[in-house]
Amino acid sequence: MQEFRLPDPGEGLTEAEIVTWRVKPGDTVHVNDVLLEVETAKSLVELPSPFEGTVEALLVDEGQTVEVGSPIIRVSGGDADAVETTQDTADTVEKDEDGGAVLVGYGVRGGAETRRRKPHTVRSVPAPTQPVRPASVPAASASPVIAKPPTRKLAKDLGVDLAAVAGSGLAGEVTRDDVVQAAQQATVFRNLQAPEWSGGREERIPVKGVRKVIAQGMVDSAFTAPHVSVFTDVDATRTMEFVQRLKASTDFAGVKISPLLIMAKAILWAIRRSPQVNSTFTGDELVVHHYVNLGIAAATPRGLLVPNVKDAQDLSLLELATALQQLTATAREGRTQPADMQHGTFTITNIGVFGMDTGTPILNPGETGIIALGTIRQKPWVVDGEVRPRWVTTVGGSFDHRAIDGDVISRFVADVAAILEEPALLLD
């Protein structure tokens, strides 16, 4: 009889929540078979079996949070000579060749060769199974839906009915952007509805996992770093024109282009002129980073995540657009790896996608600056003494006043605004 104890998934955590058991008592399991999914503070992780044999008992219920080292499953039988496993090896965490955390629990076969378990993988969080059709989406037609397999999978994950989406592809096919837009419209439609309260007068939701880490991080940031926030309105008409030209360019075919791309490039440009905003204040020294790991705050089903594009300063406009697309898609699908959220140096939060003009964002812990991009909408604007309709946005930002003074902050935000007003400055 062998007990499998909850290992540390390589993130230095002390506990995890049992999300889904993949086996039940009586099942036969082999080495590397996935036993269960657990949710840590950063990701969903599959735990493979270090044993062979028959499942005797599941010692922990789904939804229960347990400490690392606690017994969670009991397995009996199997080929004891082929798989000799001790708790020491079951709890070991090693690093693979790429530096990622790998759970080890196989023991030694024949007393000579150590077998390594497959790396744990991040699983996508299940999306709603019942699609919600927004009022603006036309009814499904009888004609077959044209969509590539990845697009169909994304639609399934986001709960989008492909038959209800008008395809914008050259052959009328439904594209990834069509699916994302339909999901966003469905979200707005759901938000406009007033659901009935159910389940009594109050609901109590345990604060754990990602939500617990977010809460602690925001408290630590808000009450450690003295925030100062600044705002400026920007005529982003030329940015919108530039975005349309990029969308029409064959070089950017298949890549999502939005004003966020120009904002990201503007920040990279402005950081070179004011490098102190891309720093970490330690108390004893100011560590100015000569690279930019650019974080993008992303609202996901698991909460607010801030994955970052590593060494964004070295990327071309096309490379940056591709990286942003991959980063946001991975975050929405719940597949962001813990390493992708570490070592960020500066963050963008795009609150404009929620219709907000501006805000006072809280710094990502360990960073000195964060920029908020507000919604871009047509407003009356004075141009050459005449009032004209222009595309206007508000750029806001929060900064650690221990690290940088008001003049540096103001110059940095003004530089970002200048690029949004005239993207051609990026060519300088």
Side-chain angles (χ1 to χ4, degrees):
M1 189 75 66
Q2 302 171 102
E3 284 186 345
F4 179 39
R5 298 176 182 271
L6 179 67
D8 176 2
E11 301 169 3
L13 302 174
T14 60
E15 63 182 21
E17 178 187 348
I18 307 301
V19 176
T20 305
W21 280 106
R22 299 288 189 83
V23 295
K24 61 183 183 299
D27 287 353
T28 299
V29 296
H30 303 282
V31 173
N32 285 344
D33 286 351
V34 175
L35 297 177
L36 73 161
E37 280 184 331
V38 299
E39 181 176 20
T40 71
K42 297 180 180 179
S43 58
L44 286 177
V45 179
E46 289 182 338
L47 296 185
S49 175
F51 309 130
E52 291 183 0
T54 302
V55 177
E56 291 294 325
L58 307 181
L59 306 180
V60 182
D61 294 331
E62 291 182 355
Q64 185 175 344
T65 298
V66 296
E67 294 183 354
V68 169
S70 301
I72 57 176
I73 187 174
R74 186 177 297 125
V75 177
S76 67
D79 186 352
D81 292 333
V83 182
E84 298 177 1
T85 308
T86 66
Q87 190 56 52
D88 290 338
T89 57
D91 288 344
T92 300
V93 177
E94 295 183 353
K95 295 290 182 178
D96 66 9
E97 290 77 5
D98 297 326
V102 178
L103 292 171
V104 178
Y106 295 36
V108 178
R109 176 180 296 274
E113 181 184 358
T114 300
R115 299 183 60 189
R116 168 171 285 181
R117 179 182 302 175
K118 294 179 181 178
H120 65 263
T121 57
V122 178
R123 301 284 296 174
S124 60
V125 177
T129 56
Q130 295 296 325
V132 178
R133 181 181 300 162
S136 59
V137 175
S141 63
S143 59
V145 176
I146 304 174
K148 296 179 180 179
T151 302
R152 292 181 180 275
K153 182 181 184 304
L154 178 62
K156 181 180 179 181
D157 290 342
L158 296 180
V160 173
D161 182 3
L162 282 177
V165 179
S168 63
L170 295 178
E173 72 270 17
V174 178
T175 67
R176 169 180 282 270
D177 286 348
D178 296 333
V179 171
V180 171
Q181 183 177 7
Q184 292 172 343
Q185 290 175 342
T187 299
V188 172
F189 180 70
R190 285 194 298 269
N191 290 342
L192 292 176
Q193 296 177 324
E196 295 292 333
W197 280 319
S198 60
R201 291 177 61 83
E202 294 180 338
E203 179 183 8
R204 295 180 182 271
I205 302 174
V207 178
K208 56 186 178 180
V210 173
R211 175 52 55 194
K212 187 174 183 179
V213 172
I214 292 172
Q216 187 59 52
M218 293 300 96
V219 169
D220 291 344
S221 177
F223 292 99
T224 299
H227 287 53
V228 59
S229 299
V230 295
F231 315 94
T232 186
D233 291 335
V234 181
D235 178 0
T237 302
R238 289 180 178 172
T239 282
M240 298 299 284
E241 294 171 350
F242 187 35
V243 166
Q244 292 305 314
R245 288 198 300 272
L246 292 177
K247 287 183 176 181
S249 170
T250 56
D251 292 337
F252 287 81
V255 180
K256 181 177 177 57
I257 305 299
S258 73
L260 178 64
L261 171 63
I262 312 307
M263 166 64 86
K265 202 66 174 177
I267 287 174
L268 296 173
W269 183 83
I271 283 175
R272 289 187 179 274
R273 291 164 54 87
S274 302
Q276 281 180 279
V277 303
N278 186 54
S279 62
T280 299
F281 185 86
T282 68
D284 296 324
E285 58 185 359
L286 184 65
V287 181
V288 180
H289 308 294
H290 292 168
Y291 59 91
V292 184
N293 290 343
L294 186 62
I296 307 295
T300 76
R302 297 182 58 244
L304 180 68
L305 302 180
V306 190
N308 59 78
V309 178
K310 299 292 193 292
D311 290 314
Q313 78 284 348
D314 295 333
L315 303 181
S316 67
L317 194 61
L318 176 58
E319 291 170 337
L320 183 60
T322 302
L324 291 174
Q325 177 175 292
Q326 294 173 345
L327 178 147
T328 53
T330 300
R332 289 194 190 102
E333 295 167 5
R335 296 187 293 106
T336 301
Q337 298 282 352
D340 294 335
M341 293 184 286
Q342 297 173 351
H343 309 301
T345 64
F346 196 95
T347 295
I348 304 174
T349 177
N350 186 11
I351 60 176
V353 297
F354 305 111
M356 297 294 101
D357 291 323
T358 191
T360 55
I362 295 179
L363 292 167
N364 203 29
E367 298 177 15
T368 296
I370 180 172
I371 285 286
L373 175 62
T375 189
I376 302 177
R377 66 177 91 237
Q378 282 197 314
K379 293 182 179 180
W381 194 263
V382 177
V383 180
D384 297 330
E386 297 181 359
V387 178
R388 302 178 186 176
R390 305 288 283 183
W391 291 101
V392 178
T393 188
T394 301
V395 175
S398 295
F399 302 86
D400 187 343
H401 219 335
R402 298 173 301 175
I404 45 179
D405 297 327
D407 60 332
V408 178
I409 293 169
S410 299
R411 183 167 61 249
F412 174 76
V413 174
D415 281 344
V416 172
I419 294 297
L420 293 180
E421 289 182 348
E422 184 47 82
L425 290 174
L426 293 172
L427 301 177
D428 293 346

